[in-house]
Amino acid sequence: MTDFAISVKNLVKIFDNEVTAVDNLNLDVKKGEIYGFLGPNGAGKTTSINILSGLLRPTSGEVIVGGFDVIKNSEKIKEIIGVCPQEPSLFGYLTGRQNIEFFGNLHCMPKEKIREQTNFLLKKLNFNGEGDRRVKHYSGGMVRRINVAVALINDPEIVFLDEPTVGMDPQSRRAVWDFISDLKKKGKTVILTTHYIEEAEQLCERIGIIDHGKIIELGNPDELKQKYQAETLEEIFINITGRKIREEI
């Protein structure tokens, strides 16, 4: 038995035989760990997550998620993961509750379990009566919170959160932070990409900084700040990438 929930060896993804989005990436994420994945826009974060979650096929390399090979056992992997993408995939004419329940049905969950988990998620993410309003009337932050709930309806072992708090107000962001911390207490493994440095410092036990498709630095926030004699991760990020975290390539 391995201690790693995710193990990636020499991963490469090339688009159209000319654009290398992921370049010989090596990555190990421990079971029950909140792992921060930081990088500028276009650095390869989302492409990597899409491969890990079975949405994209790698050009080469080995990817093991939850003990399963991402190419040979993609259906098994989909049963044990939850994915919150950057762009919400919700139905505006359905309520927040109905959206969550819809995705629970896609996972073939028992009806009672869907109701129980939906009520739990709405409460934890601070949806009171708002859960029964149509999503098309939601603010951007509310849509993001429902997007997180949809990713977690099946109570997954491994969770991919790709920029989950973009556009949220401080109160909503704090609710999501608390919820992510609760996932760790339950032994879940979380991969978090974010452009909010304080989010990574607050939540992540280890941080991998990716640029041009490669991990260029790895460690826990305190170790990295000590190594680079920096007060913040932002300073470190600029130092080793030459850019601010939000900058485009």
Side-chain angles (χ1 to χ4, degrees), residues 32-34 117 120-126 148 152 155-157 159 161 173-190 192 202-205:
E33 179 178 32
I34 301 179
Q117 184 73 350
F120 169 75
L121 291 168
L122 288 171
K123 181 178 180 180
K124 290 295 291 184
L125 292 169
N126 288 350
V148 171
L152 297 167
D155 195 23
E157 297 175 24
V159 184
L161 301 176
R173 186 177 299 160
R174 177 60 62 179
V176 172
W177 286 14
D178 291 343
F179 189 62
I180 293 173
S181 297
D182 285 345
L183 291 175
K184 175 176 173 52
K185 293 176 184 176
K186 294 180 179 179
K188 310 294 186 182
T189 303
V190 180
L192 172 69
Q202 177 79 18
L203 295 172
C204 300
E205 296 157 88

Side-chain angles (χ1 to χ4, degrees), residues 3-249:
D3 291 330
F4 297 114
I6 295 171
S7 184
V8 176
K9 306 297 182 188
N10 305 316
L11 176 63
V12 174
K13 180 59 182 179
I14 301 174
F15 290 103
D16 300 324
N17 295 318
E18 59 181 32
V19 178
T20 302
V22 182
D23 187 7
N24 202 41
L25 180 73
N26 290 281
L27 172 69
D28 289 312
V29 180
K30 300 172 185 175
K31 292 179 179 177
E33 179 178 32
I34 301 179
Y35 184 99
F37 212 27
L38 303 185
N41 290 329
K45 303 185 301 296
T46 297
T47 299
S48 299
I49 285 178
N50 285 343
I51 292 171
L52 293 174
S53 57
L55 297 176
L56 272 180
R57 190 178 181 89
T59 301
S60 62
E62 180 184 71
V63 181
I64 305 297
V65 177
F68 300 105
D69 186 281
V70 75
I71 296 177
K72 298 176 183 177
N73 305 108
S74 61
E75 292 304 313
K76 286 285 188 182
I77 289 172
K78 289 172 184 175
E79 293 176 6
I80 63 171
I81 68 171
V83 182
C84 178
Q86 278 189 34
E87 297 299 325
S89 301
L90 304 175
F91 299 98
Y93 56 87
L94 297 180
T95 67
R97 179 185 300 278
Q98 288 169 336
N99 269 279
I100 300 170
E101 291 176 342
F102 173 80
F103 284 93
N105 282 310
L106 290 183
H107 283 288
C108 300
M109 296 171 60
K111 298 294 184 184
E112 184 56 37
K113 181 63 176 177
I114 291 174
R115 283 193 294 271
E116 177 184 318
Q117 184 73 350
T118 298
N119 288 333
F120 169 75
L121 291 168
L122 288 171
K123 181 178 180 180
K124 290 295 291 184
L125 292 169
N126 288 350
F127 279 92
N128 299 313
E130 298 161 335
D132 294 308
R133 286 170 48 199
R134 291 189 182 187
V135 166
K136 67 181 181 180
H137 299 305
Y138 281 1
S139 67
M142 292 169 68
V143 168
R144 288 279 177 183
R145 279 186 284 153
I146 288 294
N147 204 41
V148 171
V150 162
L152 297 167
I153 182 60
N154 61 323
D155 195 23
E157 297 175 24
I158 300 169
V159 184
F160 298 97
L161 301 176
D162 196 2
E163 303 286 350
T165 61
V166 169
M168 286 187 184
D169 61 81
Q171 184 177 4
S172 295
R173 186 177 299 160
R174 177 60 62 179
V176 172
W177 286 14
D178 291 343
F179 189 62
I180 293 173
S181 297
D182 285 345
L183 291 175
K184 175 176 173 52
K185 293 176 184 176
K186 294 180 179 179
K188 310 294 186 182
T189 303
V190 180
I191 314 298
L192 172 69
T193 77
T194 180
H195 278 162
Y196 297 116
I197 290 292
E198 71 276 14
E199 189 164 270
E201 290 191 276
Q202 177 79 18
L203 295 172
C204 300
E205 296 157 88
R206 284 195 305 154
I207 290 170
I209 298 178
I210 183 173
D211 200 11
H212 301 295
K214 294 177 179 284
I215 297 287
I216 59 173
E217 189 56 275
L218 175 67
N220 72 44
D222 289 337
E223 289 173 345
L224 292 175
K225 284 187 282 189
Q226 183 175 5
K227 177 179 178 179
Y228 287 91
Q229 297 296 296
E231 293 186 5
T232 67
L233 287 178
E234 180 80 22
E235 292 179 43
I236 297 168
F237 192 90
I238 294 172
N239 184 24
I240 65 177
T241 69
R243 287 168 284 172
K244 293 183 178 180
I245 195 167
R246 293 177 183 275
E247 288 183 359
E248 299 278 359
I249 286 181

